[in-house]
Amino acid sequence: MTKPERVIVIGGDAAGMSAAAKAKRTNPELAITVYEKGRFVSYAACGIPYYLAGVVRELRALLVRTPEQFAQQGITVHLQHEVTALNLAAKEVTVVAREEGREFTAPYDKLVIATGATPICPPLEGLDAPNVFTLRHLEEAQALKDYLDRERPRRATLIGGGYLNLEMAEALRTRDLEVTVVEMQPQLLPSLDSEMAELVERELARQGVVVCTGEPVQGLGSDGTGRVRRVQTSSQEWETDLVLMGSGVQPNVALARAAGIELDTTGAIRTDRRMQTERLGVYAAGDCVSVHHLVSERRGYLPLGPTANKQGRVAGENLAGGEAFFRGVVGTSVVKVFDLEVARTGLNEREAKEANFTPVAAQITATDRASYYPGAVPLTVRLLADAATGRLLGGQIIGQHGAAKRIDVVAAALHGRMNVEQFGEFDLSYAPPYAPVWDPLLIAAQVLLREL
Amino acid sequence: MTKPERVIVIGGDAAGMSAAAKAKRTNPELAITVYEKGRFVSYAACGIPYYLAGVVRELRALLVRTPEQFAQQGITVHLQHEVTALNLAAKEVTVVAREEGREFTAPYDKLVIATGATPICPPLEGLDAPNVFTLRHLEEAQALKDYLDRERPRRATLIGGGYLNLEMAEALRTRDLEVTVVEMQPQLLPSLDSEMAELVERELARQGVVVCTGEPVQGLGSDGTGRVRRVQTSSQEWETDLVLMGSGVQPNVALARAAGIELDTTGAIRTDRRMQTERLGVYAAGDCVSVHHLVSERRGYLPLGPTANKQGRVAGENLAGGEAFFRGVVGTSVVKVFDLEVARTGLNEREAKEANFTPVAAQITATDRASYYPGAVPLTVRLLADAATGRLLGGQIIGQHGAAKRIDVVAAALHGRMNVEQFGEFDLSYAPPYAPVWDPLLIAAQVLLREL
């Protein structure tokens, strides 16, 4: 009997646990150990705003699978075990078991780095105050929930106008807080073109959220108890009882970098399509790696849950002896901002120019279903194409209903490298309760064709 | 000054009016005349069930544009004018103006045949009874509405288990009628595979609709007033106060056939991709023409609103001197059956075999959004691929929410002639309120890949 191959997975969220599970299913002989520095594995971080809003009642509803469930599958999970060093030559990792207060080394034959991302925090004094929060982990969600329940803060200032903070703006308004969102860029959600971001800003205003764009935060002012009470931007000062840091994330690559693993210009770990780093047998997946963008044909950093899951699965299959590929993304995402579905895919105008396309855009508003059918709401669709070739480059859709999954039709067309003419001929579903006879996507394509 | 070119359009619904409007926009010099034998043009026939259910309150809400609006655009519309003959050699049509009781001939330079479809009625005695209805036109909708309001029938028998009758089953249940659907095929909705049609039958049962499949209607029994009171099938007899004929439609090609215009094996008019018949200057569009199916690569008869609109537009642009193409359909459709969205595209198993593919199917059920998010409902997805090539052939999706527009992602993949592996890599939108991290489409693709 040969000794089973030892697999170590560093990090127990989406990418790491997907890799572990898929590897075990592919080759049940593998001895798989996961080290997770936190207290949870395999959790739905994207559900945190809904837990804080009270829409999801129990934190444990966000746990997809427990360590016990993984154990039943033959995967060993160690919580509160932080990998602090990586020795590629010796093929071993150094692990600190926080609770037990001991450090040890563990050997591996195959390794998966799934160390995720960490929030980007501007260099400000006061970030360690007890009323300043980041929200990457369930522990942080619990801490904020406890703070909200215990201290009943009245005013919240959200620094950064990205997806998480807009979801949190809704969650905190649901709890009757006054909410201010401060963004240093001239618009919220920079992955949208400004004409579309404007619709989001209007919705926030309608919901009583104060939006302050184009103003970097310059300082935090504390009170005698060490709590932050003021947020200073270039021209204003906001009184606050609570600060949420949501200025995006960066790949957590300290371990990989120290071990000499190749990063790319995005600052994230570079892998091939099999999710292997340039070191044989060392895989990486999830928010710590860069991705190939199938439209720009460049590496990008787009840390999102579905990508992490797909990459983990591919890494797991390959390290277990299978053959799977992760070819890339087209940049699809969606966020609920109060009553709006805000969806995008592909390249926006700025990104298209950076990728040396000549973008032409068309933007239309049409009803999501037959205009005579009850509940019809306007849907704004923006499509972009390359003037030189007519190739579809991206799309953005915003409306109260029907945006989230319509964007996937655009995403499919991007995967197929289709042009606008082809897109405009799509045979899309029609019935009065679900779509008008000319789907808004097709109307947008017609208008865009005339612009080309 | 040259004399303006004369365009005659026969039939004033989706295809005909789209052709007229697009032709006029493309070349404002054209003299365009539309002859419509009914009392309405440009109406939303698909809205009829919702009008009868009372969901859409006014019949006029279903009028997209009026003859007066077309007149403002410079298009002459004659209602209650039936074209009774077509002389291709002389380039003229014979028109009967019903109200005025006169007949005349009108010359044309370009012609659009948009004569639509007529209901298929089995050869039964009693079809002309005052309580037997078909529902192609607004006039018929009004007649049924009046009958329902006036006579308050208690029991309705719907002959045929296609889209319209299932929508009508809901409409009539909304009005508290007892509803029986009789279908001679072994299942309802034969465009679905039986495993999916079963879900629809279960929903109908749940809603109190009696479904009788595999039984052709053999006779109608009338009372002394000439009303049909009994519907006899091979093994049963149904008491009824009202009969709806909904056994599908056939192309209305009497005029075209008599004039010697080529029909194909579907029985419908054959056109090229420019929507021109084999006669120069004679175009045809809408429910009277056959279509190229982009998956089976055969001609088919799939009379649907979006296709009629697209074809009309292409015909209009081309006859006005432009250059546009209608390349075909992939067979997408959706219907609301009470609380279910029932969507399909591409080929089902039977159709795939007929087109010489070797279909392999995978069917899964997963939630439409994150399982922890309130309102998550199960969505059943069935995907088919060709065993020999892995090419995606079709899909069917049924669920209370999220089926209608997800099918369009499958449709897009079919337009792109993609295989299941490519489909399974799609970068689809994710946020807890709208999708689980693995969209049901991707889960179905994974299962199907394993079957291949």
Side-chain angles (χ1 to χ4, degrees):
Chain A
M1 215 179 94
T2 55
K3 231 173 114 191
E5 234 186 353
R6 296 158 305 186
V7 177
I8 286 180
V9 178
I10 310 175
D13 200 7
M17 297 320 294
S18 294
K22 182 67 180 176
K24 193 72 185 176
R25 280 200 304 273
T26 307
N27 179 1
E29 302 299 314
L30 294 175
I32 303 178
T33 306
V34 179
Y35 296 112
E36 163 57 43
K37 69 177 175 186
R39 291 191 292 119
F40 302 100
V41 288
S42 192
Y43 57 91
C46 301
I48 289 175
Y50 305 102
Y51 169 64
L52 290 166
V55 169
V56 174
R57 302 227 162 252
E58 302 281 345
L59 193 63
R60 64 165 183 263
L62 302 185
L63 296 174
V64 183
R65 296 181 71 196
T66 62
E68 293 70 32
Q69 289 171 309
F70 284 104
Q72 279 170 16
Q73 203 191 331
I75 295 165
T76 307
V77 175
H78 294 292
L79 299 179
Q80 295 182 282
H81 279 57
E82 183 174 7
V83 175
T84 55
L86 194 51
N87 188 334
L88 297 175
K91 287 196 162 191
E92 59 179 32
V93 299
T94 304
V95 184
V96 174
R98 292 280 172 221
E99 278 215 310
E100 306 151 36
R102 70 186 178 98
E103 180 179 288
F104 60 93
T105 60
Y108 64 81
D109 301 298
K110 300 274 172 63
L111 183 71
V112 179
I113 303 172
T115 45
T118 46
I120 297 170
C121 286
L124 295 169
E125 296 269 329
L127 289 182
D128 54 352
N131 64 338
V132 176
F133 295 86
T134 56
L135 279 178
R136 288 290 295 171
H137 303 294
L138 295 193
E139 291 89 337
E140 295 167 319
Q142 191 59 65
L144 176 54
K145 176 72 156 41
D146 293 345
Y147 187 85
L148 290 168
D149 291 345
R150 196 177 61 239
E151 309 247 340
R152 305 262 160 208
R154 204 163 53 78
R155 296 158 304 188
T157 307
L158 280 46
I159 299 178
Y163 284 19
L164 177 61
N165 267 2
L166 298 196
E167 290 170 333
M168 283 306 303
E170 182 180 348
L172 294 173
R173 286 296 292 154
T174 304
R175 298 181 66 117
D176 281 333
L177 277 80
E178 295 169 23
V179 175
T180 302
V181 176
V182 178
E183 165 62 52
M184 65 177 182
Q185 301 290 330
Q187 66 172 63
L188 300 181
L189 296 178
S191 72
L192 299 181
D193 288 330
S194 59
E195 294 86 343
M196 297 295 279
E198 209 172 89
L199 303 180
V200 178
E201 289 167 20
R202 228 179 281 164
E203 171 70 3
L204 289 165
R206 198 174 75 88
Q207 301 283 355
V209 174
V210 177
V211 174
C212 167
T213 53
E215 301 219 5
V217 173
Q218 299 190 323
L220 305 176
S222 301
D223 65 10
T225 72
R227 283 181 170 72
V228 169
R229 291 298 177 193
R230 290 178 308 285
V231 175
Q232 286 124 20
T233 61
S234 32
S235 74
Q236 288 172 83
E237 186 169 280
W238 307 92
E239 302 255 318
T240 198
D241 303 318
L242 170 65
V243 173
L244 262 191
M245 299 303 301
S247 304
V249 297
Q250 57 200 349
N252 185 9
V253 292
L255 262 186
R257 186 195 288 120
I261 288 173
E262 185 194 15
L263 308 180
D264 61 21
T265 51
T266 68
I269 300 170
R270 186 186 184 93
T271 71
D272 62 15
R273 297 190 308 171
R274 301 180 69 246
M275 299 316 295
Q276 192 167 235
T277 68
E278 100 271 43
R279 305 298 179 110
L280 202 68
V282 178
Y283 296 81
D287 293 356
C288 61
V289 309
S290 65
V291 290
H292 178 68
H293 195 296
L294 293 163
V295 185
S296 73
E297 302 200 20
R298 297 172 182 205
R299 299 301 287 188
Y301 182 61
L302 292 161
L304 289 171
T307 304
N309 276 278
K310 285 182 193 134
Q311 291 174 334
R313 206 164 180 275
V314 166
E317 181 160 350
N318 287 324
L319 73 83
E323 181 84 348
F325 298 101
F326 179 77
R327 290 180 181 82
V329 299
V330 296
T332 313
S333 58
V334 64
V335 61
K336 179 177 188 294
V337 182
F338 291 89
D339 294 342
L340 290 185
E341 302 183 7
V342 179
R344 61 93 66 208
T345 190
L347 307 176
N348 64 21
E349 267 192 84
R350 178 181 46 73
E351 291 164 340
K353 284 174 191 161
E354 282 167 11
N356 295 324
F357 292 107
T358 310
V360 177
Q363 185 169 323
I364 62 99
T365 299
T367 57
D368 72 319
R369 66 199 80 178
S371 56
Y372 56 80
Y373 196 87
V377 293
L379 211 52
T380 299
V381 178
R382 185 177 176 87
L383 291 179
L384 288 96
D386 181 37
T389 60
R391 180 176 168 192
L392 191 67
L393 297 176
Q396 297 159 41
I397 312 180
I398 297 180
Q400 283 183 34
H401 190 268
K405 286 290 126 181
R406 263 190 187 84
I407 203 69
D408 289 347
V409 183
V410 185
L414 295 178
H415 276 277
R417 303 176 69 93
M418 295 187 199
N419 62 35
V420 183
E421 199 182 344
Q422 292 170 306
F423 185 81
E425 291 179 358
F426 276 4
D427 183 14
L428 303 182
S429 70
Y430 163 61
Y434 310 126
V437 68
W438 286 103
D439 193 277
L441 289 176
L442 302 182
I443 298 173
Q446 282 169 12
V447 175
L448 182 52
L449 265 181
R450 288 203 290 272
E451 305 286 321
L452 283 171
Chain B
M1 216 179 94
T2 56
K3 231 173 113 192
E5 234 185 355
R6 294 159 305 184
V7 177
I8 286 180
V9 177
I10 309 175
D13 199 9
M17 297 320 294
S18 293
K22 183 65 179 176
K24 193 71 185 177
R25 280 200 304 276
T26 307
N27 178 2
E29 301 301 312
L30 294 176
I32 303 179
T33 306
V34 179
Y35 295 111
E36 163 57 42
K37 71 177 173 186
R39 290 192 293 119
F40 302 100
V41 288
S42 194
Y43 58 91
C46 301
I48 288 175
Y50 305 102
Y51 168 65
L52 290 166
V55 169
V56 174
R57 302 229 163 251
E58 302 281 347
L59 194 64
R60 64 165 183 263
L62 302 184
L63 297 175
V64 183
R65 295 180 74 195
T66 62
E68 293 69 35
Q69 288 170 311
F70 284 105
Q72 278 168 19
Q73 204 192 328
I75 294 166
T76 306
V77 175
H78 293 293
L79 299 179
Q80 295 181 280
H81 280 57
E82 184 175 5
V83 174
T84 54
L86 195 51
N87 187 335
L88 297 174
K91 286 196 163 193
E92 61 180 31
V93 298
T94 304
V95 184
V96 174
R98 292 278 171 221
E99 280 214 308
E100 305 150 39
R102 71 187 178 98
E103 181 178 287
F104 60 93
T105 61
Y108 64 80
D109 300 299
K110 300 275 172 63
L111 183 71
V112 179
I113 302 172
T115 45
T118 47
I120 297 171
C121 286
L124 295 170
E125 295 269 327
L127 288 181
D128 53 353
N131 65 337
V132 175
F133 295 87
T134 55
L135 281 177
R136 289 290 296 170
H137 303 293
L138 295 193
E139 291 90 338
E140 295 167 318
Q142 191 59 63
L144 176 55
K145 176 75 157 40
D146 291 346
Y147 187 86
L148 291 168
D149 291 345
R150 195 177 61 237
E151 310 247 340
R152 305 261 160 210
R154 203 163 54 79
R155 297 158 304 187
T157 307
L158 280 46
I159 299 179
Y163 285 18
L164 177 60
N165 267 1
L166 298 195
E167 289 170 333
M168 282 307 302
E170 183 181 348
L172 294 173
R173 287 296 291 155
T174 305
R175 297 180 67 119
D176 281 333
L177 277 79
E178 294 169 22
V179 175
T180 302
V181 177
V182 179
E183 165 63 52
M184 65 177 182
Q185 301 289 330
Q187 67 173 60
L188 300 181
L189 297 179
S191 72
L192 299 181
D193 287 331
S194 59
E195 294 86 344
M196 298 295 278
E198 209 172 89
L199 302 181
V200 178
E201 288 166 21
R202 227 179 283 163
E203 172 70 3
L204 288 166
R206 199 174 74 88
Q207 301 284 355
V209 175
V210 177
V211 174
C212 167
T213 53
E215 301 218 6
V217 173
Q218 299 189 321
L220 305 177
S222 300
D223 65 9
T225 72
R227 284 180 169 72
V228 170
R229 291 297 177 194
R230 292 177 308 283
V231 175
Q232 287 124 19
T233 62
S234 32
S235 75
Q236 287 172 85
E237 185 170 280
W238 308 92
E239 301 255 317
T240 198
D241 303 318
L242 170 66
V243 174
L244 260 191
M245 299 303 301
S247 303
V249 297
Q250 57 198 349
N252 186 8
V253 292
L255 262 187
R257 186 195 289 120
I261 288 174
E262 186 194 15
L263 308 180
D264 62 21
T265 52
T266 68
I269 300 171
R270 186 185 184 94
T271 70
D272 61 16
R273 299 190 307 171
R274 301 178 70 245
M275 300 315 297
Q276 194 168 232
T277 68
E278 100 270 44
R279 305 298 178 111
L280 201 67
V282 178
Y283 296 80
D287 292 357
C288 61
V289 309
S290 66
V291 291
H292 179 69
H293 194 295
L294 293 162
V295 185
S296 72
E297 303 201 19
R298 296 174 181 203
R299 299 300 289 190
Y301 182 60
L302 292 161
L304 288 172
T307 304
N309 275 277
K310 285 182 194 133
Q311 291 175 333
R313 208 164 178 273
V314 166
E317 181 160 349
N318 287 324
L319 75 84
E323 181 84 348
F325 299 102
F326 179 78
R327 289 180 182 82
V329 300
V330 297
T332 313
S333 58
V334 65
V335 60
K336 179 175 187 295
V337 182
F338 290 90
D339 294 343
L340 290 184
E341 303 182 8
V342 179
R344 61 93 64 210
T345 189
L347 306 176
N348 64 20
E349 269 192 82
R350 179 180 47 71
E351 292 164 340
K353 284 174 191 161
E354 283 168 8
N356 296 323
F357 292 107
T358 309
V360 177
Q363 184 169 324
I364 63 102
T365 299
T367 56
D368 72 319
R369 67 199 79 177
S371 56
Y372 56 80
Y373 196 87
V377 293
L379 212 52
T380 299
V381 178
R382 184 176 176 87
L383 291 179
L384 288 97
D386 181 38
T389 59
R391 180 175 167 192
L392 191 67
L393 296 177
Q396 297 158 43
I397 312 179
I398 297 180
Q400 284 183 32
H401 189 268
K405 287 290 127 181
R406 263 189 188 86
I407 204 67
D408 289 347
V409 183
V410 185
L414 295 178
H415 276 278
R417 303 177 68 94
M418 296 187 199
N419 62 36
V420 184
E421 198 181 347
Q422 291 170 306
F423 186 81
E425 292 179 357
F426 277 3
D427 184 12
L428 303 182
S429 69
Y430 163 60
Y434 310 125
V437 68
W438 287 102
D439 193 277
L441 289 176
L442 301 182
I443 298 173
Q446 283 170 12
V447 174
L448 182 51
L449 265 181
R450 289 202 291 272
E451 305 286 321
L452 283 171

